[in-house]
Amino acid sequence: QVHLVESGGGLVQPGGSLRLSCAASGSIRSIATMRWYRQAPGDQRDLVAGITAEGATNYADSVKGRFTISRDNAKNTVYLQMSSLKPEDTAVYYCNAVVILLSGYSRNYWGQGTQVTVSS
């Protein structure tokens, strides 16, 4: 069993910054790609950013230049540094990880989500 636990969400004013964290724990051999998604009320869940185990990154066009994804493989943790936040960044942010289990099988896991609200 693997658990992903997000933290770092909250209320921030436009132009402000937040740092999200997502820590994976459990029967983990290694973790391949880790991603952040977000979902606003009434919208679909969209990819925000992803990072491979080797550190290659990709971003949604809407967050390029403002958000930075990083990871600490020793801690099985992925981060999302968010700057110059806008009201349209308001959403529940979800962590996703492709985990290679101790058994050798790979599975896709999701965190429970953390709310980010950008408002004055």
Side-chain angles (χ1 to χ4, degrees):
Q1 186 73 332
V2 172
H3 298 280
L4 302 183
V5 178
E6 298 114 331
S7 61
L11 173 64
V12 63
Q13 292 186 342
S17 298
L18 279 176
R19 189 193 195 207
L20 305 183
S21 300
C22 172
S25 62
S27 304
I28 299 170
R29 176 178 294 182
S30 64
I31 302 178
T33 302
M34 304 185 82
R35 299 180 177 93
W36 288 98
Y37 287 77
R38 66 186 181 187
Q39 187 169 22
D43 287 350
Q44 63 183 18
R45 190 174 296 188
D46 293 324
L47 177 66
V48 175
I51 184 168
T52 68
E54 296 77 22
T57 60
N58 65 286
Y59 297 92
D61 288 343
S62 60
V63 306
K64 282 181 181 177
R66 300 189 298 121
F67 291 11
T68 302
I69 189 171
S70 60
R71 64 190 284 173
D72 184 333
N73 291 333
K75 296 181 179 179
N76 290 330
T77 299
V78 63
Y79 306 96
L80 186 68
Q81 178 67 47
M82 305 184 293
S83 303
S84 301
L85 282 161
K86 305 174 182 180
E88 51 263 44
D89 294 317
T90 296
V92 178
Y93 283 70
Y94 295 92
C95 173
N96 172 270
V98 177
V99 178
I100 314 302
L101 302 171
L102 295 177
S103 64
Y105 290 99
S106 66
R107 286 191 62 182
N108 195 32
Y109 290 92
W110 290 89
Q112 81 287 353
T114 186
Q115 176 70 46
V116 172
T117 302
V118 184
S119 175
S120 55

